[in-house]
Amino acid sequence: MQMDIQEIAGQIDQRGYIVLEKLLADTMLDRLYARCQHDDPSRFNAAQIGRGSAKQRISSVRGDAISWLTDMHPADAAYLSFMEELRLGLNERLFLGLFDYECHYAIYEKGMGYAKHTDVLSGKKNRVLSTVLYLNEGWKESDGGELVLYDSQDAILETVAPRYGTMIIFLSEHFPHEVLISQNTRRSIAGWFRISGS
Ligand code: OGA
Ligand code: MN
């Protein structure tokens, strides 16, 4: 698969993030979209906030339902192996020490969003680089659900519509962000490259 890792690494190095309109092939996007469905209710769970015993569900803060990708499923495995290639390419060019990658499908139903937060939690296996791939065909401005990325002074850096095939990659620690209330069912894959933990 063709991927300009040089360009991705360069922008992450210079600005800390990059928005890519179309990184993945349509066939891959279509297979991922097919997996990002509530068809099997036991596969998706309401997302929680916090870690360990502090975990809780507050849908007004975070309203998505999630399902982790697994190597056991061919469509998931194809995406995980694509992201593995990206991990190795970035490690060659940047000194981030990316150790592994984890990601989940996320579905926000109409009326849901995710309040402003950063992706770094306390703990050992920490998140260094966040990625979000959007899977919404025909997304309209009136559908809302944009990702808003802020700088450390709380100024808006970027507003990203969750359009089919768009991917954003950003340094987890540096950019508070939020998902504006969605007026339509909003599908994505959120993932994190992490440093090694014990
Ligand atoms: C997250 C997140 C952003 C998005 O899951 O942590 O910030 O645009 N997602 O879905
Ligand atoms: Mn986040």
Side-chain angles (χ1 to χ4, degrees):
M1 198 165 304
Q2 283 299 84
M3 161 161 54
D4 193 349
I5 297 183
Q6 193 66 38
E7 169 70 12
I8 297 172
Q11 287 208 35
I12 289 169
D13 192 36
Q14 285 160 31
R15 323 189 280 170
Y17 73 95
I18 182 169
V19 180
L20 297 144
E21 300 272 290
K22 192 150 188 324
L23 185 61
L24 295 157
D26 279 338
T27 47
M28 166 114 52
L29 292 174
D30 294 350
R31 290 168 77 202
L32 296 171
Y33 173 82
R35 281 278 290 161
C36 193
Q37 307 292 329
H38 268 315
D39 50 0
D40 173 3
S42 66
R43 203 159 65 80
F44 277 81
N45 293 296
Q48 298 186 310
I49 50 179
R51 252 191 192 180
S53 58
K55 266 195 167 178
Q56 53 181 323
R57 165 77 170 173
I58 307 176
S59 62
S60 59
V61 175
R62 178 173 183 187
D64 55 336
I66 65 168
S67 172
W68 292 92
L69 275 74
T70 157
D71 267 325
M72 309 281 284
H73 192 283
D76 295 11
Y79 184 67
L80 289 168
S81 97
F82 181 88
M83 296 307 278
E84 174 65 7
E85 201 185 311
L86 179 58
R87 183 183 75 83
L88 296 173
L90 292 176
N91 274 348
E92 268 176 31
R93 291 165 179 84
L94 304 171
F95 299 97
L96 295 171
L98 308 176
F99 178 76
D100 68 2
Y101 181 72
E102 59 174 6
C103 59
H104 62 60
Y105 295 103
I107 302 177
Y108 292 77
E109 297 296 352
K110 180 180 158 85
M112 296 297 177
Y114 193 161
K116 197 170 173 188
H117 65 280
T118 55
D119 287 343
V120 174
L121 304 167
S122 56
K124 285 178 181 154
K125 279 196 170 177
N126 232 325
R127 295 167 166 181
V128 176
L129 208 54
S130 302
T131 70
V132 192
L133 169 69
Y134 300 106
L135 298 170
N136 306 292
E137 214 141 16
W139 196 259
K140 302 181 299 300
E141 211 177 315
S142 58
D143 290 330
E146 294 94 346
L147 170 73
V148 183
L149 201 69
Y150 297 88
D151 69 12
S152 51
Q153 262 71 251
D154 266 356
I156 293 178
L157 282 175
E158 200 84 38
T159 300
V160 183
R163 286 197 202 95
Y164 211 60
T166 296
M167 187 189 282
I168 183 167
I169 306 174
F170 59 94
L171 290 170
S172 306
E173 210 179 349
H174 295 255
F175 303 99
H177 53 279
E178 73 181 310
V179 177
L180 301 182
I181 299 295
S182 196
Q183 304 302 333
N184 211 329
T185 304
R186 178 192 193 268
R187 296 182 166 82
S188 62
I189 300 177
W192 299 272
F193 292 107
R194 305 183 300 180
I195 52 169
S196 167
S198 50

